[in-house]
Amino acid sequence: MQIRTGLGFDVHRLAEGETLWLGGVLIPHYKGTVAHSDGDVLIHAICDALLGALALGDIGSHFPDTDMAYKDVDSKILLSEVVKLVKERGWSISNVDSTISAQKPKLRPYIDDIRAKLADILEIDVDAVSVKATTTEKLGFEGEEIGISALASVLLLKA
Ligand code: MG
């Protein structure tokens, strides 16, 4: 049995009048992410964790933000593409853990929806998908609501 671990991190700026997608779920909030894609920081961090585990570069190298094909792209599609790359190489995803850092809104009510959505795209059980949320105690860009960040860690297995 071979084992690989990967980590991912992503940040987006927040602005009024933009949409806030997290883990493929639209979160009602007065601010959203500024991005070339739909700005889903959580999915982007998970993509980078999966790509990182296989040393396949990062999300920017696979889906360049200079490419108009990815303008406002649904990040769920990007994650599906990355999952395909993982499977093509004979790996399976053991589990995903993640943390979103945002001062607002309170994310607890959306966590189970996000986990279910991610589990569906990752094609693994929902109990292998962890999504946590934290504030940064009003410190830093997340705490000042200037931006939002996400960290993800994955474990891949190959028989
Ligand atoms: Mg991003």
Side-chain angles (χ1 to χ4, degrees):
M1 176 73 75
Q2 298 179 69
I3 299 174
R4 290 286 185 94
T5 182
L7 68 88
F9 175 65
D10 193 36
V11 173
H12 279 280
R13 273 194 303 125
L14 289 172
E16 289 185 36
E18 302 283 347
T19 50
L20 182 60
W21 287 94
L22 288 173
V25 173
L26 185 59
I27 310 292
H29 191 46
Y30 78 106
K31 280 185 175 178
T33 51
V34 178
H36 182 71
S37 68
D38 67 4
D40 191 323
V41 275
L42 178 57
I43 286 190
H44 296 176
I46 293 170
C47 285
D48 265 2
L50 291 166
L51 292 169
L54 298 182
L56 289 174
D58 59 34
I59 192 171
S61 59
H62 288 265
F63 314 108
D65 65 6
T66 48
D67 187 337
M68 286 311 287
Y70 302 116
K71 177 94 182 89
D72 297 324
V73 71
D74 179 343
S75 293
K76 295 188 282 296
I77 294 168
L78 307 184
L79 182 56
S80 297
E81 291 294 315
V82 171
V83 169
K84 204 185 291 177
L85 288 177
V86 169
K87 293 194 161 183
E88 278 169 5
R89 284 163 177 75
W91 293 88
S92 62
I93 301 166
S94 172
N95 75 298
V96 173
D97 188 17
S98 63
T99 300
I100 304 163
S101 292
Q103 194 63 39
K104 285 181 184 169
K106 283 278 170 238
L107 296 173
R108 189 176 301 271
Y110 308 105
I111 294 291
D112 284 342
D113 281 353
I114 293 172
R115 292 175 61 219
K117 182 74 75 179
L118 292 172
D120 192 40
I121 305 165
L122 294 163
E123 299 175 24
I124 58 176
D125 288 343
V126 73
D127 64 7
V129 181
S130 163
V131 176
K132 309 183 300 296
T134 186
T135 70
T136 56
E137 299 287 341
K138 299 190 175 172
L139 295 169
F141 66 83
E142 301 100 325
E144 292 172 8
E145 298 178 60
I146 296 167
I148 186 166
S149 67
L151 266 169
S153 163
V154 303
L155 195 74
L156 304 186
L157 302 175
K158 192 190 238 180

Short mmCIF file of all heavy atoms in Angstrom, two decimals, residues 37-87:
data_model
loop_
_atom_site.label_atom_id
_atom_site.label_comp_id
_atom_site.label_asym_id
_atom_site.label_seq_id
_atom_site.Cartn_x
_atom_site.Cartn_y
_atom_site.Cartn_z
N SER A 37 -12.53 32.85 -11.41
CA SER A 37 -13.49 31.75 -11.35
C SER A 37 -14.64 32.17 -10.42
O SER A 37 -14.80 33.35 -10.14
CB SER A 37 -12.81 30.50 -10.78
OG SER A 37 -12.49 30.73 -9.41
N ASP A 38 -15.38 31.19 -9.90
CA ASP A 38 -16.43 31.54 -8.93
C ASP A 38 -15.85 31.83 -7.54
O ASP A 38 -16.59 32.15 -6.61
CB ASP A 38 -17.52 30.46 -8.87
CG ASP A 38 -17.02 29.13 -8.31
OD1 ASP A 38 -15.84 29.05 -7.89
OD2 ASP A 38 -17.81 28.17 -8.30
N GLY A 39 -14.53 31.69 -7.39
CA GLY A 39 -13.86 32.11 -6.16
C GLY A 39 -14.10 31.23 -4.94
O GLY A 39 -14.06 31.71 -3.81
N ASP A 40 -14.33 29.95 -5.20
CA ASP A 40 -14.61 29.02 -4.10
C ASP A 40 -13.29 28.60 -3.42
O ASP A 40 -12.65 27.64 -3.83
CB ASP A 40 -15.36 27.80 -4.65
CG ASP A 40 -15.94 26.90 -3.58
OD1 ASP A 40 -15.29 26.73 -2.52
OD2 ASP A 40 -17.03 26.36 -3.79
N VAL A 41 -12.90 29.34 -2.39
CA VAL A 41 -11.59 29.09 -1.74
C VAL A 41 -11.45 27.68 -1.21
O VAL A 41 -10.35 27.11 -1.24
CB VAL A 41 -11.28 30.02 -0.53
CG1 VAL A 41 -10.68 31.32 -0.95
CG2 VAL A 41 -12.42 30.18 0.40
N LEU A 42 -12.54 27.12 -0.68
CA LEU A 42 -12.44 25.78 -0.10
C LEU A 42 -12.14 24.75 -1.18
O LEU A 42 -11.24 23.91 -1.04
CB LEU A 42 -13.72 25.44 0.66
CG LEU A 42 -13.76 24.04 1.28
CD1 LEU A 42 -12.58 23.82 2.23
CD2 LEU A 42 -15.09 23.81 1.99
N ILE A 43 -12.89 24.81 -2.27
CA ILE A 43 -12.63 23.86 -3.37
C ILE A 43 -11.24 24.07 -3.94
O ILE A 43 -10.53 23.10 -4.25
CB ILE A 43 -13.72 23.95 -4.46
CG1 ILE A 43 -15.00 23.29 -3.94
CG2 ILE A 43 -13.25 23.28 -5.76
CD1 ILE A 43 -16.09 23.10 -4.98
N HIS A 44 -10.81 25.30 -4.06
CA HIS A 44 -9.47 25.55 -4.60
C HIS A 44 -8.39 24.96 -3.69
O HIS A 44 -7.41 24.38 -4.17
CB HIS A 44 -9.22 27.05 -4.80
CG HIS A 44 -10.14 27.67 -5.82
ND1 HIS A 44 -10.17 29.00 -6.11
CD2 HIS A 44 -11.07 27.09 -6.62
CE1 HIS A 44 -11.08 29.23 -7.05
NE2 HIS A 44 -11.64 28.09 -7.37
N ALA A 45 -8.57 25.08 -2.38
CA ALA A 45 -7.59 24.50 -1.44
C ALA A 45 -7.59 22.97 -1.56
O ALA A 45 -6.52 22.34 -1.53
CB ALA A 45 -7.92 24.94 -0.01
N ILE A 46 -8.76 22.37 -1.72
CA ILE A 46 -8.84 20.91 -1.84
C ILE A 46 -8.20 20.46 -3.17
O ILE A 46 -7.47 19.46 -3.19
CB ILE A 46 -10.30 20.42 -1.72
CG1 ILE A 46 -10.81 20.67 -0.29
CG2 ILE A 46 -10.41 18.93 -2.07
CD1 ILE A 46 -12.30 20.45 -0.11
N CYS A 47 -8.44 21.19 -4.24
CA CYS A 47 -7.79 20.87 -5.53
C CYS A 47 -6.27 20.89 -5.36
O CYS A 47 -5.56 19.98 -5.82
CB CYS A 47 -8.17 21.88 -6.61
SG CYS A 47 -9.83 21.71 -7.27
N ASP A 48 -5.76 21.93 -4.70
CA ASP A 48 -4.31 22.03 -4.52
C ASP A 48 -3.77 20.91 -3.63
O ASP A 48 -2.64 20.44 -3.84
CB ASP A 48 -3.93 23.40 -3.96
CG ASP A 48 -3.55 24.38 -5.06
OD1 ASP A 48 -3.62 24.01 -6.25
OD2 ASP A 48 -3.18 25.52 -4.72
N ALA A 49 -4.54 20.50 -2.65
CA ALA A 49 -4.10 19.39 -1.78
C ALA A 49 -4.00 18.09 -2.59
O ALA A 49 -3.03 17.34 -2.47
CB ALA A 49 -5.07 19.24 -0.61
N LEU A 50 -5.01 17.85 -3.44
CA LEU A 50 -5.00 16.63 -4.26
C LEU A 50 -3.86 16.66 -5.27
O LEU A 50 -3.13 15.67 -5.44
CB LEU A 50 -6.34 16.48 -5.00
CG LEU A 50 -7.56 16.16 -4.12
CD1 LEU A 50 -8.84 16.38 -4.91
CD2 LEU A 50 -7.49 14.73 -3.59
N LEU A 51 -3.69 17.81 -5.93
CA LEU A 51 -2.60 17.94 -6.91
C LEU A 51 -1.25 17.84 -6.20
O LEU A 51 -0.31 17.22 -6.70
CB LEU A 51 -2.71 19.27 -7.65
CG LEU A 51 -3.92 19.41 -8.60
CD1 LEU A 51 -4.07 20.85 -9.06
CD2 LEU A 51 -3.80 18.46 -9.78
N GLY A 52 -1.18 18.42 -5.00
CA GLY A 52 0.07 18.40 -4.23
C GLY A 52 0.48 17.00 -3.84
O GLY A 52 1.66 16.65 -3.86
N ALA A 53 -0.50 16.19 -3.47
CA ALA A 53 -0.19 14.81 -3.05
C ALA A 53 0.49 14.04 -4.17
O ALA A 53 1.31 13.16 -3.92
CB ALA A 53 -1.48 14.10 -2.62
N LEU A 54 0.15 14.38 -5.42
CA LEU A 54 0.72 13.67 -6.57
C LEU A 54 1.79 14.50 -7.28
O LEU A 54 2.22 14.14 -8.37
CB LEU A 54 -0.40 13.27 -7.54
CG LEU A 54 -1.43 12.31 -6.93
CD1 LEU A 54 -2.47 11.92 -7.97
CD2 LEU A 54 -0.77 11.07 -6.36
N ALA A 55 2.19 15.62 -6.65
CA ALA A 55 3.22 16.50 -7.23
C ALA A 55 2.87 16.87 -8.67
O ALA A 55 3.72 16.83 -9.56
CB ALA A 55 4.61 15.87 -7.13
N LEU A 56 1.61 17.22 -8.88
CA LEU A 56 1.12 17.56 -10.22
C LEU A 56 0.95 19.07 -10.39
O LEU A 56 0.13 19.51 -11.20
CB LEU A 56 -0.21 16.85 -10.49
CG LEU A 56 -0.14 15.34 -10.68
CD1 LEU A 56 -1.55 14.75 -10.80
CD2 LEU A 56 0.68 14.98 -11.92
N GLY A 57 1.71 19.84 -9.63
CA GLY A 57 1.60 21.29 -9.77
C GLY A 57 0.46 21.83 -8.93
O GLY A 57 0.09 21.24 -7.91
N ASP A 58 -0.14 22.93 -9.40
CA ASP A 58 -1.22 23.54 -8.63
C ASP A 58 -2.39 23.92 -9.54
O ASP A 58 -2.31 23.77 -10.77
CB ASP A 58 -0.72 24.74 -7.81
CG ASP A 58 -0.10 25.83 -8.67
OD1 ASP A 58 -0.56 26.03 -9.82
OD2 ASP A 58 0.85 26.47 -8.20
N ILE A 59 -3.42 24.40 -8.93
CA ILE A 59 -4.66 24.69 -9.66
C ILE A 59 -4.42 25.74 -10.75
O ILE A 59 -5.01 25.68 -11.82
CB ILE A 59 -5.76 25.10 -8.66
CG1 ILE A 59 -7.14 25.14 -9.32
CG2 ILE A 59 -5.44 26.40 -7.96
CD1 ILE A 59 -8.29 25.32 -8.34
N GLY A 60 -3.49 26.67 -10.47
CA GLY A 60 -3.19 27.73 -11.44
C GLY A 60 -2.51 27.19 -12.69
O GLY A 60 -2.69 27.73 -13.79
N SER A 61 -1.74 26.11 -12.53
CA SER A 61 -1.06 25.54 -13.70
C SER A 61 -2.02 24.70 -14.55
O SER A 61 -1.85 24.59 -15.76
CB SER A 61 0.17 24.72 -13.29
OG SER A 61 -0.18 23.66 -12.44
N HIS A 62 -3.03 24.12 -13.90
CA HIS A 62 -4.01 23.31 -14.65
C HIS A 62 -5.13 24.16 -15.26
O HIS A 62 -5.65 23.83 -16.32
CB HIS A 62 -4.62 22.23 -13.75
CG HIS A 62 -3.66 21.14 -13.44
ND1 HIS A 62 -3.61 19.97 -14.16
CD2 HIS A 62 -2.66 21.06 -12.52
CE1 HIS A 62 -2.64 19.20 -13.68
NE2 HIS A 62 -2.05 19.84 -12.69
N PHE A 63 -5.53 25.21 -14.52
CA PHE A 63 -6.66 26.05 -14.96
C PHE A 63 -6.25 27.52 -14.84
O PHE A 63 -6.68 28.21 -13.92
CB PHE A 63 -7.90 25.77 -14.07
CG PHE A 63 -8.19 24.31 -13.85
CD1 PHE A 63 -7.96 23.72 -12.61
CD2 PHE A 63 -8.69 23.52 -14.87
CE1 PHE A 63 -8.23 22.38 -12.39
CE2 PHE A 63 -8.96 22.17 -14.66
CZ PHE A 63 -8.72 21.59 -13.42
N PRO A 64 -5.44 28.02 -15.79
CA PRO A 64 -4.87 29.37 -15.66
C PRO A 64 -5.95 30.46 -15.59
O PRO A 64 -6.94 30.39 -16.34
CB PRO A 64 -4.03 29.54 -16.93
CG PRO A 64 -3.91 28.19 -17.54
CD PRO A 64 -5.03 27.36 -17.02
N ASP A 65 -5.73 31.45 -14.71
CA ASP A 65 -6.74 32.51 -14.59
C ASP A 65 -6.63 33.53 -15.73
O ASP A 65 -7.37 34.50 -15.79
CB ASP A 65 -6.70 33.19 -13.21
CG ASP A 65 -5.41 33.93 -12.94
OD1 ASP A 65 -4.58 34.03 -13.86
OD2 ASP A 65 -5.24 34.39 -11.80
N THR A 66 -5.69 33.28 -16.66
CA THR A 66 -5.60 34.11 -17.86
C THR A 66 -6.43 33.49 -19.00
O THR A 66 -6.60 34.09 -20.04
CB THR A 66 -4.14 34.19 -18.35
OG1 THR A 66 -3.60 32.86 -18.37
CG2 THR A 66 -3.29 35.05 -17.41
N ASP A 67 -6.93 32.27 -18.76
CA ASP A 67 -7.69 31.54 -19.79
C ASP A 67 -9.18 31.87 -19.64
O ASP A 67 -9.79 31.58 -18.60
CB ASP A 67 -7.45 30.04 -19.60
CG ASP A 67 -8.05 29.20 -20.73
OD1 ASP A 67 -8.99 29.69 -21.39
OD2 ASP A 67 -7.57 28.07 -20.93
N MET A 68 -9.76 32.46 -20.68
CA MET A 68 -11.17 32.86 -20.59
C MET A 68 -12.10 31.66 -20.44
O MET A 68 -13.26 31.82 -20.05
CB MET A 68 -11.57 33.69 -21.83
CG MET A 68 -11.00 35.11 -21.80
SD MET A 68 -11.30 36.00 -20.23
CE MET A 68 -13.06 36.33 -20.39
N ALA A 69 -11.59 30.45 -20.74
CA ALA A 69 -12.41 29.26 -20.55
C ALA A 69 -12.80 29.10 -19.07
O ALA A 69 -13.80 28.46 -18.76
CB ALA A 69 -11.66 28.01 -21.01
N TYR A 70 -11.98 29.69 -18.19
CA TYR A 70 -12.24 29.52 -16.76
C TYR A 70 -12.84 30.75 -16.11
O TYR A 70 -12.94 30.85 -14.90
CB TYR A 70 -10.95 29.10 -16.04
CG TYR A 70 -10.41 27.81 -16.61
CD1 TYR A 70 -9.19 27.76 -17.25
CD2 TYR A 70 -11.18 26.65 -16.56
CE1 TYR A 70 -8.72 26.58 -17.83
CE2 TYR A 70 -10.73 25.47 -17.14
CZ TYR A 70 -9.49 25.45 -17.76
OH TYR A 70 -9.05 24.29 -18.33
N LYS A 71 -13.29 31.72 -16.95
CA LYS A 71 -13.95 32.90 -16.42
C LYS A 71 -15.26 32.48 -15.77
O LYS A 71 -16.09 31.82 -16.38
CB LYS A 71 -14.21 33.90 -17.56
CG LYS A 71 -14.96 35.15 -17.13
CD LYS A 71 -14.01 36.28 -16.77
CE LYS A 71 -14.77 37.51 -16.30
NZ LYS A 71 -15.01 37.51 -14.86
N ASP A 72 -15.41 32.83 -14.47
CA ASP A 72 -16.61 32.52 -13.69
C ASP A 72 -16.92 31.02 -13.66
O ASP A 72 -18.06 30.62 -13.42
CB ASP A 72 -17.84 33.29 -14.23
CG ASP A 72 -17.66 34.80 -14.11
OD1 ASP A 72 -17.05 35.23 -13.12
OD2 ASP A 72 -18.11 35.52 -15.01
N VAL A 73 -15.90 30.19 -13.90
CA VAL A 73 -16.14 28.75 -13.94
C VAL A 73 -16.61 28.23 -12.58
O VAL A 73 -16.19 28.74 -11.53
CB VAL A 73 -14.87 27.98 -14.41
CG1 VAL A 73 -13.78 27.98 -13.35
CG2 VAL A 73 -15.22 26.56 -14.83
N ASP A 74 -17.51 27.27 -12.64
CA ASP A 74 -18.00 26.59 -11.43
C ASP A 74 -16.85 25.72 -10.90
O ASP A 74 -16.41 24.79 -11.58
CB ASP A 74 -19.21 25.73 -11.84
CG ASP A 74 -19.81 24.96 -10.69
OD1 ASP A 74 -19.15 24.80 -9.64
OD2 ASP A 74 -20.96 24.50 -10.85
N SER A 75 -16.38 26.01 -9.70
CA SER A 75 -15.21 25.29 -9.17
C SER A 75 -15.48 23.81 -8.96
O SER A 75 -14.54 23.01 -8.89
CB SER A 75 -14.74 25.93 -7.86
OG SER A 75 -14.23 27.22 -8.13
N LYS A 76 -16.75 23.42 -8.88
CA LYS A 76 -17.08 22.00 -8.76
C LYS A 76 -16.56 21.23 -9.98
O LYS A 76 -16.15 20.09 -9.87
CB LYS A 76 -18.59 21.80 -8.58
CG LYS A 76 -19.13 22.39 -7.29
CD LYS A 76 -20.59 22.03 -7.03
CE LYS A 76 -21.60 22.82 -7.80
NZ LYS A 76 -21.64 24.26 -7.50
N ILE A 77 -16.61 21.90 -11.14
CA ILE A 77 -16.10 21.28 -12.37
C ILE A 77 -14.58 21.09 -12.27
O ILE A 77 -14.05 20.05 -12.66
CB ILE A 77 -16.48 22.14 -13.60
CG1 ILE A 77 -18.00 22.14 -13.77
CG2 ILE A 77 -15.77 21.67 -14.86
CD1 ILE A 77 -18.52 23.17 -14.77
N LEU A 78 -13.89 22.09 -11.72
CA LEU A 78 -12.44 21.99 -11.57
C LEU A 78 -12.08 20.83 -10.64
O LEU A 78 -11.17 20.04 -10.92
CB LEU A 78 -11.84 23.30 -11.03
CG LEU A 78 -12.18 24.59 -11.79
CD1 LEU A 78 -11.43 25.77 -11.18
CD2 LEU A 78 -11.86 24.46 -13.27
N LEU A 79 -12.83 20.72 -9.54
CA LEU A 79 -12.56 19.64 -8.58
C LEU A 79 -12.81 18.27 -9.24
O LEU A 79 -12.01 17.34 -9.05
CB LEU A 79 -13.41 19.80 -7.32
CG LEU A 79 -13.19 18.75 -6.22
CD1 LEU A 79 -11.72 18.68 -5.79
CD2 LEU A 79 -14.08 19.04 -5.00
N SER A 80 -13.88 18.17 -10.03
CA SER A 80 -14.15 16.90 -10.74
C SER A 80 -12.99 16.54 -11.65
O SER A 80 -12.60 15.36 -11.75
CB SER A 80 -15.40 17.01 -11.60
OG SER A 80 -16.51 17.26 -10.82
N GLU A 81 -12.43 17.55 -12.34
CA GLU A 81 -11.30 17.30 -13.23
C GLU A 81 -10.08 16.81 -12.45
O GLU A 81 -9.37 15.90 -12.89
CB GLU A 81 -10.92 18.59 -13.99
CG GLU A 81 -11.94 19.05 -15.00
CD GLU A 81 -12.08 18.07 -16.17
OE1 GLU A 81 -11.04 17.62 -16.67
OE2 GLU A 81 -13.22 17.74 -16.55
N VAL A 82 -9.85 17.39 -11.28
CA VAL A 82 -8.71 16.99 -10.46
C VAL A 82 -8.92 15.57 -9.92
O VAL A 82 -7.99 14.76 -9.90
CB VAL A 82 -8.47 18.01 -9.32
CG1 VAL A 82 -7.44 17.50 -8.33
CG2 VAL A 82 -8.03 19.36 -9.89
N VAL A 83 -10.14 15.26 -9.50
CA VAL A 83 -10.45 13.92 -9.00
C VAL A 83 -10.18 12.89 -10.12
O VAL A 83 -9.63 11.81 -9.87
CB VAL A 83 -11.91 13.83 -8.50
CG1 VAL A 83 -12.33 12.39 -8.24
CG2 VAL A 83 -12.07 14.67 -7.22
N LYS A 84 -10.52 13.27 -11.34
CA LYS A 84 -10.27 12.40 -12.49
C LYS A 84 -8.76 12.12 -12.64
O LYS A 84 -8.35 10.98 -12.85
CB LYS A 84 -10.83 13.06 -13.76
CG LYS A 84 -11.18 12.10 -14.87
CD LYS A 84 -11.61 12.82 -16.15
CE LYS A 84 -12.96 13.52 -16.01
NZ LYS A 84 -13.29 14.28 -17.27
N LEU A 85 -7.96 13.17 -12.51
CA LEU A 85 -6.50 13.00 -12.61
C LEU A 85 -5.97 12.04 -11.55
O LEU A 85 -5.10 11.20 -11.82
CB LEU A 85 -5.78 14.36 -12.42
CG LEU A 85 -5.89 15.40 -13.53
CD1 LEU A 85 -5.18 16.68 -13.11
CD2 LEU A 85 -5.29 14.86 -14.82
N VAL A 86 -6.51 12.17 -10.34
CA VAL A 86 -6.09 11.31 -9.22
C VAL A 86 -6.42 9.85 -9.54
O VAL A 86 -5.58 8.95 -9.41
CB VAL A 86 -6.80 11.76 -7.91
CG1 VAL A 86 -6.61 10.73 -6.80
CG2 VAL A 86 -6.29 13.14 -7.47
N LYS A 87 -7.65 9.62 -10.00
CA LYS A 87 -8.11 8.25 -10.27
C LYS A 87 -7.39 7.63 -11.45
O LYS A 87 -7.08 6.43 -11.44
CB LYS A 87 -9.62 8.25 -10.48
CG LYS A 87 -10.34 8.61 -9.20
CD LYS A 87 -11.81 8.29 -9.29
CE LYS A 87 -12.40 8.23 -7.88
NZ LYS A 87 -13.79 7.85 -7.88
#
